[in-house]
């Protein structure tokens, strides 16, 4: 696997906020582990799509954003919404269907949103949110302000019409949008190769006249670095960028998928490149072992406390069902 | 010879039986190959018929439906799968502007023997973008037939009937009924024609018309009503286009009271259309204003308490029926 040169990376001296990135990734990892647990206790309804293994993508990208920037994502979006700064307890509350959840319990696992931190919405229709990010970028361009909008989506989503229409429109209008493919190698149970005739999804950028960058999605520093370049370009009015993050989901597509279709060797090699372990190793190598251990401990405690708190919250009042249909 | 299967399993059985008889029948959809479908409704078909006839696609609903149309006008009989009925929104143009009108616009030069299967309905905690009653979106589009089976026997017979039909059929499989069991007779005798209602339970005091999940709740309600001396007749139209108005009118000639129960908001729904037709065409049969028991005019909420309240309950059906009988 060759990645386009993106500097700096984990191989270089670490940035001052490395522990902050580690904390954010641990929180997402533990959050997802807890959701899995709550699901098996029947406390989560419908389906749930977890992102363990992909934390470096969302944390790296979102750490390059500024207040006012916005983000849209998919049903596999718990990590992205938390990386934008949504509170853990209200994220738990939403997935548990509680009144105190981010969306009052009306959205659920596939629809986390916290507009106050720029998380505009998680979408359960593949490709459905890419035009929304184009529109959020259009709003900034229209008003002459500097906010950018990021859309996260999967490798499989690059075969739906909305992907192509969105990239084309964002490019001709030079909108401050950043399109991030979380290439976790599978769309549901299908390999990328079985649904897509090219190997490098970032090559698709060429048809839309924008840069396409292929990045090690398990390297949080490389992800941030690539995003910074895209943000600068966007804010300078030069238009969108397509970033392909090479990564892997540790679990199956959704709660009911044991992911038996993945070769054992492949799974092993990706687990050996766990994005959290890689960052932690780099921190330890630069003398931060104790601090890293402390970050892990507090992340765990914080996630557990948030879960316990959300579990005490009541279910929504029945009248809530008829609220927020119109303004 | 007959087998006990559940609603989910009988889908693959019906398709396989048609595929064995007619080499022009093939399947096209996402993850229907080795994975056997997102709901395992295509289990075993790939193994038996191979990749030429069980065709996995990228996530490209417009191309799935449009390609099925092209193949159909060339004389093949595609069975296309749209994983959730909600995703019909992504390919609405192909269904309503292309599939529905091709025969008409060519002055009858072609037929469109195409079946589009979709998983339908609420009650399983999948939230607003994965729970809708999609059948109502297509009622106003002449050229389409609409099938809404509630039992294993009906699903088997109507799916085979749909594949044999020379017009485009939208075939809705209710997610809430996947584990309902039934007995499947094999052979051509089990194939059902479209447009014939089933009188599920006879009665002389009130006619209850319902489909899919609501048909089962209406039968439960009828049992409760029987206990208080009200004889309800339950009719399942099974197909919405064509609709067996005569069966409902025959029942009204006995009962003079009409209650329609549906899982969806009231406007633009099959229930509203039925009430309208019965009122305008069979006014003299009625001794009470017809009643339409629907879901509230809101999207399907995620939280369990809210989704439960959104769906018409057995108690609500009983209460509404009592009101009508007392009118
Ligand atoms: C329009 C549409 N078609 C199909 C689906 C069903 N579906 C949900 S996730 C998924 C796979 C998406 O794969 P990818 O884009 O790679 O994202 P990942 O799940 O791997 O993060 C599919 C087909 C959907 N939600 N929306
Ligand atoms: Mg993927």
């Amino acid at each position: 696997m060759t990645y386009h040169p993106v500097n700096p990376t984990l191989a270089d001296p670490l940035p001052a906020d490395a522990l902050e990135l580690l904390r954010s990734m641990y929180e997402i990892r533990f959050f997802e582990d807890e959701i899995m647990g709550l699901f098996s206790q029947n406390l989560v309804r419908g389906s749930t799509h977890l992102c363990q293994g992909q934390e470096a993508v969302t944390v790296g990208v979102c750490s390059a954003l500024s207040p006012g920037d916005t983000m849209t994502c998919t049903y596999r979006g718990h990590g992205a919404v938390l990386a934008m700064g949504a509170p853990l307890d209200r994220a738990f509350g939403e997935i548990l269907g509680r009144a105190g959840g981010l969306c009052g319990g009306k959205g659920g696992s596939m629809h986390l949103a916290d507009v106050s931190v720029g998380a505009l919405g998680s979408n359960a229709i593949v490709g459905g949110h890419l035009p929304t990010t184009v529109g959020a970028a259009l709003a900034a361009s229209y008003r002459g302000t500097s906010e950018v909008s990021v859309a996260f989506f999967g490798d499989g989503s690059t075969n739906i019409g909305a992907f192509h229409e969105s990239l084309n429109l964002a490019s001709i209008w030079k909108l401050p949008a950043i399109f991030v493919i979380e290439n976790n190698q599978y769309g549901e149970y299908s390999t990328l190769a079985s649904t897509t005739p090219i190997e490098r999804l970032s090559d698709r950028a060429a048809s839309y006249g924008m840069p396409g960058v292929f990045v090690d999605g398990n390297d949080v520093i490389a992800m941030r670095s690539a995003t910074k370049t895209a943000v600068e370009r966007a804010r300078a009015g030069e238009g969108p960028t397509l970033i392909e993050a090479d990564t892997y989901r540790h679990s199956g597509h959704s709660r009911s998928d044991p992911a038996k279709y993945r070769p054992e060797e492949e799974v092993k090699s990706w687990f050996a490149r766990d994005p959290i372990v890689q960052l932690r190793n780099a921190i330890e190598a630069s003398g931060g072992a104790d601090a890293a251990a402390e970050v892990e401990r507090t992340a765990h405690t914080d996630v557990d406390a948030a879960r316990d708190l959300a579990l005490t919250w009541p279910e929504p009042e029945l009248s809530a069902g008829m609220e927020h249909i119109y303004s | 010879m007959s087998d006990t299967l559940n609603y989910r399993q009988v889908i693959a059985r019906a398709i396989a039986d048609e595929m064995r008889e007619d080499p022009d029948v093939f399947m096209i959809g996402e993850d229907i190959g080795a994975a056997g479908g997102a709901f395992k409704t295509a289990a075993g078909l790939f193994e038996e018929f191979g990749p030429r006839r069980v065709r996995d696609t990228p996530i490209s609903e417009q191309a799935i439906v449009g390609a099925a149309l092209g193949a159909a006008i060339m004389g093949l009989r595609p069975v296309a799968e749209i994983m959730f009925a909600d995703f019909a929104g992504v390919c609405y143009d192909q269904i309503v502007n292309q599939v529905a009108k091709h025969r008409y616009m060519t002055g009858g030069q072609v037929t469109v023997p195409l079946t589009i299967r979709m998983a339908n309905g609420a009650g399983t905690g999948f939230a607003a973008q994965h729970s809708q009653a999609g059948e109502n979106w297509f009622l106003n589009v002449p050229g389409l037939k609409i099938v809404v089976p509630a039992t294993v026997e009906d699903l088997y017979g109507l799916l085979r009937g749909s594949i044999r039909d020379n017009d485009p059929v939208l075939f809705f499989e209710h997610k809430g009924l996947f584990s309902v069991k039934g007995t499947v007779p094999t052979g051509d005798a089990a194939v059902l024609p479209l447009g014939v209602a089933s009188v599920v339970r006879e009665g002389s005091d009130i006619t209850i018309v319902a489909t899919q999940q609501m048909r089962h709740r209406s039968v439960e309600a009828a049992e409760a009503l029987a206990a208080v001396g009200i004889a309800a007749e339950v009719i399942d139209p099974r197909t919405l286009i064509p609709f067996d108005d005569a069966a409902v009118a025959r029942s009204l000639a006995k009962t003079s009271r009409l209650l329609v129960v549906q899982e969806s908001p009231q406007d633009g729904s099959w229930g509203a259309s039925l009430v309208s037709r019965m009122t305008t065409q069979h006014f003299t049969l009625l001794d009470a204003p017809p009643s339409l028991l629907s879901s509230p005019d809101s999207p399907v909420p995620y939280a369990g308490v809210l989704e439960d309240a959104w769906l018409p309950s057995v108690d609500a059906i009983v209460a509404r029926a009592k009101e009508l009988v007392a009118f």
Side-chain angles (χ1 to χ4, degrees):
Chain A
M1 201 73 65
T2 48
Y3 302 105
H4 290 214
V6 179
N7 277 306
T9 79
L10 278 173
D12 298 315
L14 286 169
D17 65 344
L19 284 170
E20 189 47 33
L21 298 173
L22 185 69
R23 183 193 56 78
S24 187
M25 287 166 69
Y26 267 127
E27 281 183 4
I28 295 170
R29 175 71 54 94
F30 296 145
F31 181 89
E32 295 290 68
D33 291 348
E34 288 307 318
I35 293 298
M36 194 63 215
L38 294 168
F39 199 96
S40 34
Q41 295 171 58
N42 273 331
L43 289 166
V44 178
R45 309 189 69 231
S47 193
T48 190
H49 310 76
L50 306 177
C51 70
Q52 294 104 323
Q54 305 183 196
E55 297 92 344
V57 181
T58 47
V59 170
V61 169
C62 296
S63 73
L65 301 180
S66 303
D69 293 340
T70 58
M71 185 282 298
T72 63
C73 60
T74 73
Y75 47 85
R76 199 180 304 290
H78 305 167
V81 173
L82 292 173
M84 288 297 285
L88 286 164
D89 51 1
R90 297 195 59 210
F92 271 121
E94 186 57 36
I95 298 170
L96 290 165
R98 304 302 165 98
L102 289 170
C103 310
K106 295 203 288 199
S109 173
M110 298 201 281
H111 302 296
L112 297 187
D114 185 351
V115 176
S116 72
V117 296
L120 299 181
S122 305
N123 213 292
I125 305 294
V126 164
H129 59 290
L130 274 71
T132 312
T133 261
V134 172
L138 171 61
S141 163
Y142 183 90
R143 294 197 178 112
T145 54
S146 65
E147 299 85 16
V148 305
S149 187
V150 174
F152 290 105
F153 49 95
D155 43 284
S157 317
T158 66
N159 290 320
I160 202 156
F163 166 83
H164 298 274
E165 295 185 25
S166 298
L167 266 67
N168 191 63
L169 186 60
S171 189
I172 58 164
W173 287 348
K174 295 210 177 310
L175 298 178
I178 301 172
F179 300 100
V180 182
I181 307 170
E182 297 188 74
N183 182 356
N184 58 13
Q185 323 300 326
Y186 291 83
E188 288 197 347
Y189 324 112
S190 298
T191 59
L192 183 58
S194 69
T195 57
T196 311
I198 58 172
E199 203 181 326
R200 274 290 56 76
L201 297 174
S202 50
D203 290 350
R204 293 196 157 171
S207 335
Y208 303 110
M210 70 176 76
V213 221
F214 179 51
V215 186
D216 179 354
N218 283 14
D219 179 338
V220 67
I221 309 290
M223 280 311 305
R224 171 154 72 182
S225 172
T227 309
K228 275 187 173 160
T229 307
V231 167
E232 278 162 26
R233 179 181 146 81
R235 295 209 210 280
E238 291 163 18
T241 300
L242 177 65
I243 297 175
E244 176 184 0
D246 194 33
T247 187
Y248 206 68
R249 56 167 153 76
H250 282 182
S251 51
H253 166 70
S254 62
R255 44 93 205 204
S256 54
D257 172 22
K260 290 273 167 51
Y261 45 84
R262 307 193 298 188
E264 217 172 286
E265 278 312 303
E266 175 189 291
V267 176
K268 260 198 208 145
S269 75
W270 278 100
F271 270 75
R273 297 183 44 234
D274 184 315
I276 297 183
V277 174
Q278 295 198 111
L279 176 60
R280 180 148 175 184
N281 287 345
I283 292 172
E284 290 181 354
S286 60
D290 290 348
E294 177 59 20
V295 160
E296 180 185 2
R297 255 195 312 276
T298 42
H300 221 161
T301 323
D302 291 351
V303 166
D304 285 354
R307 177 206 56 203
D308 291 344
L309 179 60
L311 280 167
T312 66
W313 293 342
E315 295 178 310
E317 299 287 338
L318 288 187
S319 59
M322 291 308 287
E323 285 168 6
H324 311 123
I325 302 164
Y326 302 102
S327 51
Chain B
M1 237 220 32
S2 63
D3 272 346
T4 300
L5 290 180
N6 69 28
Y7 186 96
R8 182 207 299 259
Q9 295 160 332
V10 82
I11 296 167
R13 168 74 68 92
I15 297 171
D17 285 350
E18 280 306 302
M19 287 179 79
R20 284 184 204 121
E21 282 192 22
D22 183 349
D24 286 339
V25 176
F26 73 95
M27 289 183 78
I28 179 169
E30 295 160 15
D31 281 308
I32 59 171
F39 298 106
K40 299 282 177 268
T41 50
L45 297 178
F46 183 78
E47 289 72 11
E48 178 172 353
F49 299 103
R52 177 173 162 272
R53 297 185 71 192
V54 181
R55 306 186 74 95
D56 254 338
T57 68
I59 310 171
S60 305
E61 282 79 7
Q62 295 196 69
I64 293 169
V65 174
L69 167 63
I73 63 177
M74 299 308 290
L76 297 179
R77 290 188 177 272
V79 179
E81 174 171 307
I82 300 297
M83 203 179 288
F84 285 75
D86 313 68
F87 310 162
V90 174
C91 51
Y92 199 68
D93 167 66
Q94 288 296 326
I95 300 174
V96 309
N97 288 321
Q98 315 304 333
V99 167
K101 298 176 173 56
H102 205 90
R103 175 173 168 76
Y104 189 79
M105 294 194 304
T106 57
Q109 295 177 61
V110 295
T111 55
V112 183
L114 157 60
T115 305
I116 306 176
R117 301 172 36 246
M118 331 186 205
N120 204 38
T124 47
F126 276 98
Q129 293 179 336
H130 278 65
S131 301
Q132 295 164 90
E135 65 272 29
N136 293 302
W137 297 352
F138 301 98
L139 294 167
N140 202 2
V141 185
L144 302 172
K145 293 180 177 175
I146 300 179
V147 181
V148 284
T151 67
V152 167
E153 295 80 354
D154 287 353
L155 196 158
Y156 179 83
L158 289 167
L159 185 47
R160 294 193 65 182
S162 298
I163 297 170
R164 291 179 182 196
D165 199 286
N166 282 332
D167 292 314
V169 177
L170 307 184
F171 195 92
F172 293 90
E173 296 155 5
H174 201 292
K175 300 192 288 293
L177 302 177
F178 277 160
S179 57
V180 167
K181 286 195 169 54
T183 307
V184 195
T186 47
D188 283 356
V191 177
L192 293 171
L194 275 55
V196 182
S198 138
V199 179
V200 182
R201 182 188 167 103
E202 293 193 17
S204 52
D205 294 330
I206 181 171
T207 302
I208 305 180
V209 185
T211 63
Q212 301 210 305
Q213 188 163 226
M214 290 303 128
R215 166 216 158 125
H216 292 280
R217 291 193 182 183
S218 296
V219 170
E220 268 188 67
E223 282 157 12
L225 289 163
V228 294
I230 296 173
E233 179 144 303
V234 179
I235 295 185
D236 178 354
R238 304 194 284 191
T239 68
L240 302 179
I241 302 178
F243 200 106
D244 191 352
D245 280 1
V248 180
R250 268 195 307 276
S251 178
L252 290 178
K254 281 195 296 185
T255 66
S256 308
R257 285 167 163 78
L258 174 63
L259 169 58
V260 184
V261 185
Q262 68 180 9
E263 146 183 358
S264 108
Q266 61 178 350
D267 288 328
S269 63
W270 69 266
S273 296
L274 177 63
V275 166
S276 156
R277 292 197 305 277
M278 288 302 132
T279 311
T280 52
Q281 293 162 30
H282 300 286
F283 190 67
T284 53
L285 293 179
L286 297 165
D287 282 345
S291 187
L292 175 58
L293 181 59
S294 306
S295 303
D297 293 336
S298 82
V300 181
Y302 167 73
V305 282
L306 297 183
E307 190 178 24
D308 284 351
W310 190 87
L311 285 166
S313 64
V314 173
D315 288 348
I317 300 169
V318 168
R320 189 67 71 89
K322 283 182 179 165
E323 275 172 35
L324 260 183
V325 170
F327 180 85

